Amino acid sequence: MQDTPVQDLPVTDPKTLGLCPERLERVDGWMRRLVAEGKLAGLSVMLSRRGETAFFRAHGLADIARATPFAADTITRIYSMTKPLTSVAVMMLYEEGRFQLDDPITRFLPEFTDMRVFTGGNRVKAETVPAQLPITIRDCLTHTAGFTYGFMEATLVDALYRQNGVDFGENQDASLAEVVARLARQPLLAQPGAEWNYSVATDLLGHLVAVVSGQEFGDFLKTRVIDPLGMVDTDFHVPADKVSRLAANYSLFRDRSLKLYDDAVGSRFAAKPAIASGGGGLVSTASDYMRFCRFILGRGALDGVRLLGRKTVELMLMNHLGGDLASMGQPRFSESSYTGIGFGLGFSVMLDPARAQIVGTPGEVAWGGLASTSFWIDPAEDLAVVMLAQLIPSSALPIRRELRVLTYAALVE
C-alpha cells in the first residue's frame, strides 16, 4: 500500500511550546510505518499544547479502492468519542438546575421503576432479584448503572439485548424513546453502583436530555454544543456535499489483511439516522474534535464561548469510582485499560501511571471509539492529542499506547 505525502498543515514551532521537534518527528515515522506495513489504511494525528497546534499530520488512504488520501479534513466515524459530548449536554442541564446527579432516573423516566438484576437462568426464564438502589444520573455518566452492550456477547444479558432490539446504533425501525423503553424491560447486569460495565447508559442519557429539555437530542447536541464550539464537520450523518471526505472503515482479519467494513459511498452514516446515538453516533474531523478538547482544557470555554462553568468541568474530570476500573467488578470491555485508570463524568481518568504501566499524568482524561479513534487531554501539561483512523476493532492494534509514549517522549519543557 502506497503512503501519501505529508500534507502542509499550519503548526506552531514545537520548540516554543516545550516540545522537541526531533522527538516529535518520531510520531510521523510511526504513522508512516503503520501505513507502509498495511496495518492501517490511513490515519491523522493532531497535537495541541498551550492552545497552539504543535503537530498535525495525515498519512495513507481514507479509501483504498478509490485511492483517496487520508487528509487533514477527512471525516471519520468517531463512535464512542460521542460520549463525552453527550456528557457535556447532560451537565449543561445540570447547571441549569434541572436535576442533581444523585437524582434517580425514574424522576424523568418512570419506565425504570422496579428494575431487577440478573442472577442466572436462560433466555427463556432469567432469574433475577430486585435492584437494591435506584439508578441515578451519576450512575449512567460513570457506567455503573448496571447496563451492558449487546455486542459484547459475554453474558446472557448481552444476549437479551440482541434478542430484544436494544441497539442504538443499527436500529432504524424505532425511535430513541422506543429503544430506551426496550432497555427498561431487560434485567440489569449488576446492582446499580456496584460494578463498572461499559454500556448503553450514554444513549439513555441522550434520551434524558431530550425529555428534560423538550428538544430532540440530536437537535440539542447540535445547537447547544457542536455549533457553539465551531465543530463544523461534526454531526450524526455526513451531508451529501461532504460524503467525498468520508473515510471508508476497515476490519483487520486473522491474516492481518484489511477488509472493507463500511464503504465511504453508501455508508449508513451518509443518511440521517432514525436515532441520534449519544453513545456512538457522531462523525467528526481531527480539527473539530480538537476544538472540543480545547474547550475542556479551557474549563468550559472556547474562543469566548462558555458552555459550562469551571467547577463543573473540574467535577467531570475527577474520578467518581471507589477505585480504579479493575476494582469495580470484572470489566468485559473498555476503550481503556483497567488498572490505574478511574472514570469521571464521561471520560476515563488517569489515577496512577505506574499502575497503568504507561507514561502519563494523574488527572488526564481520555476515551476512544470502536474504529481506533482516540483522544486524551492532559490539563497539567496543557496538552491534548487526537488520533483518527478507521479500523475495527479498536483492540486490533496497540496504537493508542504507542502514540502516548511517542508524544510524552517529545515533551521536554
Side-chain angles (χ1 to χ4, degrees):
M1 185 184 301
Q2 285 297 112
D3 189 18
T4 53
V6 176
Q7 297 154 356
D8 294 325
L9 302 169
V11 297
T12 300
D13 182 355
K15 288 182 180 179
T16 67
L17 301 175
L19 293 155
C20 173
E22 292 76 21
R23 286 173 168 260
L24 204 52
E25 282 301 313
R26 295 175 183 173
V27 176
D28 188 83
W30 167 79
M31 295 170 70
R32 289 175 178 273
R33 286 194 301 274
L34 287 170
V35 172
E37 293 170 4
K39 294 178 178 178
L40 291 175
L43 74 162
S44 63
V45 172
M46 187 174 189
L47 186 155
S48 174
R49 193 173 194 218
R50 301 171 185 166
E52 301 286 340
T53 301
F55 182 94
F56 193 1
R57 305 281 174 83
H59 288 293
L61 300 176
D63 187 326
I64 297 172
R66 299 170 182 87
T68 306
F70 205 109
D73 63 350
T74 291
I75 298 172
T76 65
R77 306 152 191 80
I78 62 170
Y79 289 112
S80 287
M81 281 168 59
T82 305
K83 288 180 171 70
L85 277 79
T86 301
S87 300
V88 165
V90 172
M91 299 306 289
M92 289 173 73
L93 294 174
Y94 166 72
E95 283 197 334
E96 292 176 7
R98 305 292 190 96
F99 49 74
Q100 293 299 301
L101 297 180
D102 56 0
D103 280 350
I105 61 173
T106 52
R107 178 181 167 192
F108 304 100
L109 307 175
E111 58 266 42
F112 288 90
T113 302
D114 299 324
M115 293 297 291
R116 299 187 67 84
V117 181
F118 175 77
T119 58
N122 52 52
R123 295 191 193 191
V124 177
K125 184 174 177 56
E127 298 173 2
T128 63
V129 297
Q132 297 170 357
L133 297 169
I135 299 168
T136 67
I137 294 171
R138 175 186 169 279
D139 290 334
C140 294
L141 284 163
T142 59
H143 293 286
T144 58
F147 301 124
T148 182
Y149 264 120
F151 72 78
M152 293 186 192
E153 301 188 8
T155 72
L156 183 58
V157 179
D158 303 345
L160 289 173
Y161 278 33
R162 298 193 301 276
Q163 177 179 307
N164 295 307
V166 182
D167 186 336
F168 294 89
E170 300 292 343
N171 244 307
Q172 298 298 321
D173 64 340
S175 67
L176 179 56
E178 288 169 338
V179 180
V180 168
R182 294 174 190 175
L183 172 64
R185 294 192 289 268
Q186 313 310 313
L188 297 174
L189 184 62
Q191 289 286 347
E195 295 182 5
W196 190 90
N197 287 294
Y198 197 41
S199 73
V200 298
T202 316
D203 284 292
L204 181 152
L205 288 173
H207 179 54
L208 179 76
V209 167
V211 170
V212 173
S213 70
Q215 187 178 8
E216 290 290 331
F217 170 64
D219 294 338
F220 183 99
L221 197 69
K222 192 82 167 64
T223 59
R224 297 285 303 275
V225 180
I226 293 171
D227 288 348
L229 292 180
M231 300 173 71
V232 296
D233 291 319
T234 302
D235 207 336
F236 287 100
H237 77 289
V238 183
D241 61 342
K242 297 182 181 180
V243 167
S244 62
R245 291 163 48 202
L246 176 64
N249 199 3
Y250 299 93
S251 291
L252 191 63
F253 275 48
R254 291 181 180 179
D255 64 359
R256 312 308 286 176
S257 64
L258 296 175
K259 306 292 185 182
L260 184 66
Y261 179 87
D262 182 36
D263 197 358
V265 176
S267 169
R268 69 177 179 87
F269 286 90
K272 187 174 182 178
I275 292 176
S277 168
L282 288 176
V283 296
S284 191
T285 62
S287 295
D288 267 16
Y289 210 87
M290 183 57 78
R291 290 190 65 79
F292 176 75
C293 293
R294 286 172 172 163
F295 155 75
I296 295 296
L297 284 173
R299 298 297 196 277
L302 177 69
D303 295 342
V305 175
R306 179 166 291 281
L307 303 185
L308 288 173
R310 176 175 62 86
K311 299 299 289 186
T312 300
V313 175
E314 290 173 1
L315 180 65
M316 294 180 72
L317 307 189
M318 295 176 183
N319 179 35
H320 286 251
L321 307 181
D324 61 9
L325 300 184
S327 69
M328 295 289 291
Q330 297 179 326
R332 295 158 183 82
F333 176 82
S334 173
E335 296 291 353
S336 165
S337 56
Y338 306 131
T339 303
I341 306 293
F343 207 83
L345 303 181
F347 312 83
S348 64
V349 181
M350 174 67 79
L351 302 179
D352 187 338
R355 293 191 64 227
Q357 298 187 53
I358 189 72
V359 64
T361 308
E364 70 183 39
V365 296
W367 207 240
L370 176 66
S372 301
T373 60
S374 67
F375 77 95
W376 80 89
I377 302 167
D378 187 335
E381 298 289 354
D382 199 3
L383 171 76
V385 178
V386 175
M387 177 181 68
L388 299 183
Q390 295 286 263
L391 179 70
I392 287 179
S394 57
S395 58
L397 300 170
I399 54 177
R400 296 170 179 171
R401 293 174 71 83
E402 290 172 353
L403 178 58
R404 181 179 292 269
V405 173
L406 290 164
T407 299
Y408 279 118
L411 192 62
V412 293
E413 180 186 307

